[in-house]
């Protein structure tokens, strides 16, 4: 309708209000659109800034990770270097201790007073504790450094159990405990020495933390595996210590009214875990506080008896107590303190000793045709790079016969053991137990 045809003033006011309202809405919409546009630009700028900050943070984090990785690698190399050094240094570390053992044993031979004998026994006990600690720390270092290579073969469990029974029965008897090994007719695949060490450490702990009752060792067939169980009636292991017991220098918590003495180095189960890992023999346990603990060692089933098992059985029956009077000993040792201590000890046993420090010196001792050694005792690592096994071979060549021989060394490597076995030479580890040395010499000369 044309405006000129509208005569009603109220209608004109309504039309005007409607037009004004439409214009205002249009302006508001334009204002909102502009506001949204400004907001979008602001958000984009903020997103860009935050993205740049995030990229910068990620770059710093990546650099930190690189630095941490390098530091971790350096720390691991330093730790590996330390463990390898300790593993290689075992010979030098144990040499002075060996000399002290021999000197104290010789001193015991000349003591007549009760007070003197008591002091000698105290020194011997202190030396044995020091030896146990050093050997265990060196063993841990060797295992961590990866220098221990298991010599896997068939191991007769009955023979192994008999050896352990012989070692631990006196300890159990002294504490008024029972120690039983169930009869077993089984052979497993393992390293005899390392498996024995696992059981030895577990048995030692079981007897230490048991006040009454005793310890039982048995086996169970589980398919291709034989499970060895060591059960005790001791104080048990709390749940919150299940992992801690395998840590170095951890000792079980013993209440004051338990009647148990602490003792121990806290390294037995740390060694067990490392050896078990090297052998691939899972070690687990179940325990109840106040009732006891059962340790389980899972070992693969073996094939059958071996010559090594037979040799071990024969070794248990070696004769003891033969006299050494007048035995001629060619002693080859480059450490002067050890040489003097060993010489003194052998002479106390009525042996006739000729000491030497190298292969050349040993051969010079043979120039006297009236003096032919009954046995040769040599350290493996001599001056000038000489090896005891080589020295013994040259002495035998010179004499024209395979004179009995013994390598005495702190080198625990399998290389030395294999070289000795190949040459038909007995082997003993330093520090020496004088009684064991005397028994072995008597056997070799019998």
């Amino acid at each position: 309708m044309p405006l000129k045809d509208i005569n009603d003033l109220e209608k004109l006011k309504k039309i005007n209000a409607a037009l004004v309202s439409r214009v205002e809405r249009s302006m508001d919409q334009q204002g909102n659109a502009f506001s949204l546009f400004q907001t979008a630009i602001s958000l984009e700028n903020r997103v860009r800034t935050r993205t740049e900050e995030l990229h910068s943070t990620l770059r710093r984090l990546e650099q930190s990770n690189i630095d941490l990785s390098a530091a971790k690698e350096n720390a691991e190399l330093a730790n590996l270097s330390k463990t390898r050094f300790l593993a290689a240094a075992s010979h030098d570390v144990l040499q002075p201790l060996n000399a002290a053992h021999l000197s104290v044993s010789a001193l015991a031979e000349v003591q007549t007073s009760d007070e003197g004998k008591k002091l000698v026994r105290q020194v011997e006990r202190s030396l044995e504790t020091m030896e146990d600690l050093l050997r265990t720390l060196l063993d841990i270092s060797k295992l961590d450094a990866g220098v221990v290579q298991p010599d896997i073969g068939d191991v007769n469990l009955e023979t192994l159990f008999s050896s352990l029974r012989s070692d631990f029965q006196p300890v159990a008897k002294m504490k008024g405990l029972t120690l039983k090994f169930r009869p077993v007719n089984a052979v497993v695949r393992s390293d005899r020495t390392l498996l024995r060490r696992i059981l030895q450490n577990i048995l030692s702990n079981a007897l230490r933390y048991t006040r009454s009752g005793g310890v039982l060792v048995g086996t169970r067939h589980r398919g291709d595996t034989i499970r060895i169980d060591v059960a005790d009636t001791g104080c048990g292991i709390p749940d919150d210590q299940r992992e801690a017991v395998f840590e170095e220098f951890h000792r079980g918590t013993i209440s004051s009214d338990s009647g148990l003495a602490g003792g121990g180095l806290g390294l037995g189960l740390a060694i067990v875990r490392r050896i078990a890992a090297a052998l691939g023999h899972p070690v687990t346990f179940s325990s109840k506080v106040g009732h006891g603990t059962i340790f389980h060692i899972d070992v693969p089933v073996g094939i059958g008896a071996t010559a090594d098992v037979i040799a071990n059985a024969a070794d248990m029956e070696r004769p003891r107590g033969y006299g050494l009077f007048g035995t001629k000993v060619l002693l080859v040792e480059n450490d002067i303190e050890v040489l003097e201590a060993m010489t003194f000890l052998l002479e106390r046993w009525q042996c006739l000793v000729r000491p030497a420090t190298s292969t050349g010196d040993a051969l010079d001792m043979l120039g006297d045709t009236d003096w032919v050694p009954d046995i040769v005792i040599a350290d493996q690592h001599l001056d000038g790079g000489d090896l005891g096994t080589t020295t013994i071979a040259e002495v035998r060549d010179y004499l024209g016969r395979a004179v009995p021989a013994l390598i005495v060394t702190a080198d625990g490597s399998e290389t030395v053991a294999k070289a000795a076995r190949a040459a038909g030479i007995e082997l003993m580890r330093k520090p020496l137990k004088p009684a064991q040395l005397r028994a072995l010499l008597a056997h070799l000369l019998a």
Side-chain angles (χ1 to χ4, degrees):
M1 173 185 298
L3 290 177
K4 61 185 178 68
D5 295 333
I6 301 175
N7 297 318
D8 189 345
L9 182 60
E10 290 301 321
K11 285 184 178 182
L12 286 173
K13 287 182 179 179
K14 289 181 180 179
I15 291 171
N16 183 59
L19 289 172
V20 170
S21 177
R22 183 179 297 178
V23 170
E24 288 177 348
R25 284 198 304 271
S26 176
M27 291 180 66
D28 287 343
Q29 288 174 357
Q30 290 177 1
N32 289 339
F34 181 73
S35 176
L36 288 172
F37 176 70
Q38 285 185 316
T39 301
I41 292 175
S42 176
L43 286 173
E44 183 180 359
N45 289 333
R46 290 171 63 185
V47 168
R48 184 182 297 112
T49 301
R50 293 292 184 269
T51 302
E52 290 175 353
E53 291 176 353
L54 180 59
H55 278 277
S56 177
T57 302
L58 287 174
R59 284 193 294 270
R60 289 197 300 270
L61 183 59
E62 287 175 358
Q63 186 59 46
S64 297
N65 287 337
I66 292 172
D67 294 340
L68 285 173
S69 179
K72 180 174 179 289
E73 184 177 350
N74 290 334
E76 289 175 347
L77 287 174
N79 187 58
L80 185 60
S81 176
K82 177 209 67 176
T83 53
R84 284 178 175 168
F85 168 77
L86 285 173
S90 60
H91 179 272
D92 293 334
V93 170
L94 294 174
Q95 280 286 75
L97 189 58
N98 182 57
H101 261 301
L102 295 172
S103 298
V104 169
S105 182
L107 181 62
E109 297 276 344
V110 298
Q111 288 299 315
T112 55
S113 67
D114 291 340
E115 185 65 22
K117 292 178 180 178
K118 180 180 178 181
L119 289 173
V120 167
R121 284 195 296 271
Q122 289 177 349
V123 174
E124 285 179 334
R125 284 194 294 270
S126 297
L127 287 174
E128 287 173 359
T129 301
M130 188 186 304
E131 178 189 346
D132 288 342
L133 178 59
L134 278 174
R135 280 197 179 280
T136 304
L137 290 174
L138 289 169
D139 286 345
I140 287 178
S141 296
K142 289 177 182 178
L143 289 165
D144 287 346
V147 299
V148 175
Q149 298 298 324
D151 184 13
I152 303 297
D154 283 348
V155 180
N156 187 300
L157 285 183
E158 184 60 39
T159 303
L160 181 60
F161 285 1
S162 295
S163 174
L164 291 167
R165 184 189 297 109
S166 176
D167 287 351
F168 285 97
Q169 194 69 58
V171 179
K173 185 176 181 181
M174 183 176 63
K175 295 189 65 176
L177 303 174
T178 61
L179 175 61
K180 294 182 179 180
F181 290 78
R182 285 179 178 165
V184 56
N185 182 21
V187 175
V188 296
R189 293 288 293 174
S190 185
D191 180 303
R192 189 184 71 87
T193 301
L194 295 180
L195 179 59
R196 189 185 196 282
R197 186 68 180 276
I198 290 175
L199 293 171
Q200 177 180 310
N201 286 5
I202 293 175
L203 277 168
S204 179
N205 266 14
L207 291 171
R208 178 177 293 117
Y209 292 101
T210 299
R211 180 176 61 176
S212 61
V215 179
L216 174 66
V217 181
T219 60
R220 287 181 288 167
H221 283 267
R222 301 165 62 91
D224 295 334
T225 300
I226 290 180
R227 168 165 285 190
I228 303 173
D229 293 325
V230 181
D232 66 60
T233 57
C235 58
I237 300 172
D239 288 341
D240 60 357
Q241 295 185 25
R242 293 187 68 86
E243 283 300 316
V245 294
F246 290 104
E247 296 174 359
E248 296 87 345
F249 301 107
H250 176 87
R251 301 183 187 184
T253 303
I254 301 176
S255 62
S256 58
D257 61 348
S258 66
L260 295 170
L265 302 172
L267 293 170
L269 292 181
I271 284 281
V272 165
R273 170 165 282 185
R274 284 169 167 84
I275 294 177
L279 292 173
H281 299 345
V283 174
T284 56
F285 70 87
S286 55
S287 185
K288 188 174 182 180
V289 175
H291 291 79
T293 303
I294 306 176
F295 273 87
H296 316 285
I297 307 99
D298 293 329
V299 190
V301 175
I303 301 170
T306 63
D308 192 39
V309 174
I310 296 171
N312 292 334
D315 187 57
M316 297 173 58
E317 299 175 358
R318 284 179 175 172
R320 299 288 187 262
Y322 291 98
L324 299 176
F325 180 82
T327 299
K328 298 174 183 176
V329 180
L330 177 58
L331 178 62
V332 191
E333 170 64 67
N334 64 319
D335 187 300
I336 300 303
E337 289 185 356
V338 175
L339 184 67
E340 291 176 351
M342 180 79 88
T343 300
F344 185 77
L345 181 64
L346 290 170
E347 288 178 345
R348 290 297 306 173
W349 294 343
Q350 307 300 314
C351 295
L352 305 175
V353 184
R354 288 201 175 181
T357 59
S358 65
T359 303
D361 287 346
L363 294 175
D364 289 342
M365 294 291 176
L366 303 178
D368 184 358
T369 56
D370 293 334
W371 194 90
V372 178
D374 298 309
I375 191 168
V376 181
I377 302 175
D379 187 8
Q380 176 63 1
H381 299 288
L382 304 169
D383 289 341
D386 288 354
L387 297 177
T389 47
T390 304
T391 301
I392 291 170
E394 295 195 21
V395 168
R396 286 173 168 177
D397 286 342
Y398 184 92
L399 296 175
R401 66 185 181 89
V403 60
L406 169 65
I407 288 290
V408 177
T409 180
D411 186 341
S413 68
E414 184 60 24
T415 302
V416 175
K418 287 181 179 178
R421 284 197 297 267
I425 301 171
E426 292 290 335
L427 178 71
M428 291 190 75
R429 308 289 189 190
K430 294 179 180 178
L432 291 176
K433 297 283 194 302
Q436 293 177 358
L437 173 63
R438 184 169 183 172
L440 180 56
L441 292 179
H443 167 71
L444 293 174
L445 296 165

